[in-house]
Amino acid sequence: MARPARDETAARALRPRIRPGKITKIEDSKVGQLLTLLDHSGVPQQLEAMLQGRPGPAGVRPRTVLAGLLLAACFTGKATVAEAWRILHFRLEPRARTWLGIPHEPPATARESIAASRRLYRGFDRITTLLDPARCNRRSRLPLDIADAYADAWKVPSGKQAAERLQHLANQLVLSPVRLAQQRGYLRGWRGDVGVDATAIPVLADPDRERAGTASVEITAGWHHSAGADEGTFGYSASFVVAAHRRPAGEGTGKPLAYPQLCVGLVLDTPTVRTGRNAVTALTQLAELGLPAGTCAADRAYTGCAPENFQIPVRRLGYRLALDYKTENRGKQGSWRGALLVDGSLACPHMPTALAQAAQGAKDETVRIPSEELQQAVEERVPYFLKTKQSPDARGAIRLQCPAAGPSPSVNCARRDGLRPRKPRSPKPPPTVVNLADNRSRAAHPAARPTVQLPADEWLTLPPAEELPAVCGKSDITVPANAYGDRLVAKFRQDDHYLTAAWTASYKPIRSHNEGIHGRLKSGEIDIGNPKHRPAPGQVAQTLLVAILVTAGNLDILETWLYQRTGTHLTATDYTAAPTPRGPHTVRTESTGRPPPLPD
């Protein structure tokens, strides 16, 4: 029986609207490529395995829901269920509809459109309900005490485990284009340098209303304060890990080969919560791909983390650290086995006080554009820093030695010569004639090296080796990643000397790559900073939608890079190269959906 006309009119007002004149068909080849990439990420298979046995109607499969959202992100720049519905039911060819289980004919009436859209919404709702440790009403404000109870559910062990599973699944989506680029050899020129930074992800919901006693719809959101910004942004923080490279610091270092500067890690969380751990989560998942580990540059938000949450695990993953410091943390920072910790580097215990305190209390403006006096002091204190005797091992421990030791000492020290006098050569070599026109010959002469000023009573009587600091009495010292509980050394130590040319060549270019990926993903068609492009509420929904948008952004970066380098595009063979990942959260089960065949 035909429904009354007024009911049909009401249905048309409720359903997602179709924009006349903009229903263009999407080629089967592009749908097949994106669906193959999605299948190789392993996320649809894991979601369908976890949904087995749950009550309620099955609805639309997770594979179809995620494919619709990814298609919407690639072709419209929005990760909304409404755009996914329009694409799945009105813009696909019959062959692609078969791959996704979509009816061959689009909805003919308004009520059929409503039914199709609601099935898709239910399919997305099943995914978010599955991954949410404390599902609640996301459409109305809750009282503050009730909302706090739901928010606390994320902090208990079961909630942390659910959050880790969510972050792992989202990062698998982001890494799928990275795995594709790795398999095709496009990352051969990348040396493993990464930049870690957090950016604000605003939401449509308003913050809590203290006077009314009601919480925000986004119960786990908070205020993200960017560096230098007076006002915060209400929403979430997204920790990005971006592929970057250092700038050549000297002659002969070589220019890095070209590679696509992709986002190689993403974790979305409440602002100021688990800042360091979220970066480690992304770096750990990146390490599973077997890519090289270079320098990891991070701003002061990560320097301020507890060392067991960021610095120690990052070193154990094989990364070198390039850090910046707050004003109150510059200068002398601590000591280890008698060696001074000066601006993140261990130095001779008798480094001149003026050099050790050259950056003491320096403002940020002074550090960004150092004065000539500061630059000169930074260069003059380099010879006093300990020298690397052995690079970090698998546990992140490094061996350092006195700057006056070894075949190429950088300072003269009477204490070192008294404890371990250098054996004269036999027969005695003739006096060396120094070529004053040769910079290298002049620098190698002992007279050109600074001399360590020892205490006055030590020039006549040298104390026993056991009474001296370990850095002086032993041939070398070992500095483990955790520094045996010395939090200052574990927290502030870095591998390049602060404010030197080597540090500048590492820190500043990598940090600029972070800002570049933020600008690229927060502008243009794909704008993750626009909450209208991902309106679904809740941390689970926001995490998945941001991950889908970043995945689409990574594909755009890879396509653009390949076209600029070779004038070609990614083909179906490229998309079938990446294998399905296997990780700690991977559910090993038979695939519930066959990937589409290669387009003809």
Side-chain angles (χ1 to χ4, degrees), residues 8 38 43 94 106 116 121 160 171 188 202 223 258 297 302 374 404 430 453 506 529 557:
E8 188 70 15
L38 186 63
V43 176
Y121 275 101
K160 293 179 180 179
N171 206 28
R188 286 194 299 265
W223 291 97
Y302 295 88
L374 180 57
Q453 300 298 319
S506 297
I557 293 173

Side-chain angles (χ1 to χ4, degrees), residues 418-431:
L419 291 174
R420 294 177 177 80
R422 303 180 186 276
K423 295 180 180 180
R425 296 179 181 178
S426 182
K428 186 176 181 180

Side-chain angles (χ1 to χ4, degrees), residues 412 442 444-450:
N412 302 318
R442 295 202 314 269
H445 196 274
R449 299 194 294 261

Side-chain angles (χ1 to χ4, degrees), residues 217-499:
V217 174
E218 297 282 354
I219 60 174
T220 56
W223 291 97
H224 178 101
H225 292 272
S226 302
D230 296 332
E231 298 182 359
T233 301
F234 184 74
Y236 297 96
S237 292
S239 297
F240 278 100
V241 180
V242 58
H245 62 266
R246 307 174 57 184
R247 184 171 58 243
E251 297 181 359
T253 54
K255 184 178 180 180
L257 300 177
Y259 65 93
Q261 294 180 4
L262 303 170
C263 173
V264 294
L266 168 70
V267 176
L268 188 135
D269 206 342
T270 305
T272 70
V273 175
R274 295 177 291 272
T275 301
R277 293 180 181 177
N278 290 336
V280 173
T281 298
L283 291 173
T284 303
Q285 200 165 349
L286 176 63
E288 297 174 2
L289 301 183
L291 292 167
T295 299
C296 176
D299 62 8
R300 291 173 294 179
Y302 295 88
T303 307
C305 295
E308 59 270 14
N309 293 338
F310 180 70
Q311 290 89 339
I312 295 174
V314 170
R315 288 193 182 99
R316 288 177 175 172
L317 287 173
Y319 289 95
R320 305 171 74 253
L321 285 177
L323 306 173
D324 194 11
Y325 305 110
K326 296 180 180 179
T327 300
E328 59 270 19
N329 297 135
R330 296 187 177 114
K332 289 185 178 181
Q333 298 164 327
S335 63
W336 175 260
R337 302 292 181 87
L340 296 178
L341 183 66
V342 179
D343 287 329
S345 299
L346 292 172
C348 171
H350 294 289
M351 172 187 281
T353 304
L355 298 182
Q357 297 180 352
Q360 191 87 28
K363 303 296 183 181
D364 295 340
E365 296 78 8
T366 304
V367 171
R368 292 191 184 99
I369 307 178
S371 61
E372 294 184 2
E373 292 79 7
L374 180 57
Q375 289 180 342
Q376 182 178 358
V378 167
E379 294 175 359
E380 290 179 356
R381 70 184 185 183
V382 170
Y384 292 92
F385 289 127
L386 303 189
K387 299 185 298 181
T388 302
K389 187 174 183 179
Q390 185 178 13
S391 299
D393 57 14
R395 297 290 295 171
I398 188 172
R399 293 175 62 189
L400 303 175
Q401 64 179 0
C402 170
S408 301
S410 56
V411 296
N412 302 318
C413 181
R415 176 184 290 177
R416 193 269 170 205
D417 294 338
L419 291 174
R420 294 177 177 80
R422 303 180 186 276
K423 295 180 180 180
R425 296 179 181 178
S426 182
K428 186 176 181 180
T432 303
V433 178
V434 180
N435 182 8
L436 299 180
D438 186 2
N439 294 334
R440 187 171 182 178
S441 299
R442 295 202 314 269
H445 196 274
R449 299 194 294 261
T451 301
V452 176
Q453 300 298 319
L454 300 176
D457 56 349
E458 194 172 328
W459 290 101
L460 300 177
T461 305
L462 182 66
E466 56 271 12
E467 297 181 5
L468 295 174
V471 66
C472 300
K474 296 183 179 181
S475 59
D476 59 74
I477 60 174
T478 300
V479 186
N482 59 357
Y484 291 138
D486 193 321
R487 297 180 63 84
L488 292 179
V489 176
K491 183 175 184 177
F492 293 129
R493 185 173 65 87
Q494 59 177 315
D495 295 276
D496 290 321
H497 303 316
Y498 189 56
L499 298 182

Side-chain angles (χ1 to χ4, degrees), residues 126-208:
R126 281 173 58 83
I127 297 175
T128 57
T129 303
L130 170 70
L131 300 176
D132 199 329
R135 182 67 175 179
C136 65
N137 186 5
R138 303 295 189 190
R139 296 183 177 275
S140 62
R141 291 175 172 268
L142 297 175
L144 284 173
D145 54 344
I146 298 178
D148 291 341
Y150 280 108
D152 291 340
W154 290 78
K155 303 175 184 178
V156 299
S158 59
K160 293 179 180 179
Q161 185 179 5
E164 181 182 355
R165 179 178 60 185
L166 170 65
Q167 294 169 354
H168 193 275
L169 290 172
N171 206 28
Q172 279 182 236
L173 291 172
V174 174
L175 287 178
S176 54
V178 179
R179 192 177 294 105
L180 186 153
Q182 179 191 19
Q183 292 294 325
R184 303 306 297 172
Y186 301 144
L187 295 178
R188 286 194 299 265
W190 182 43
R191 300 173 180 174
D193 299 332
V194 295
V196 178
D197 195 12
T199 186
I201 303 295
V203 294
L204 289 175
D206 294 327
D208 299 344

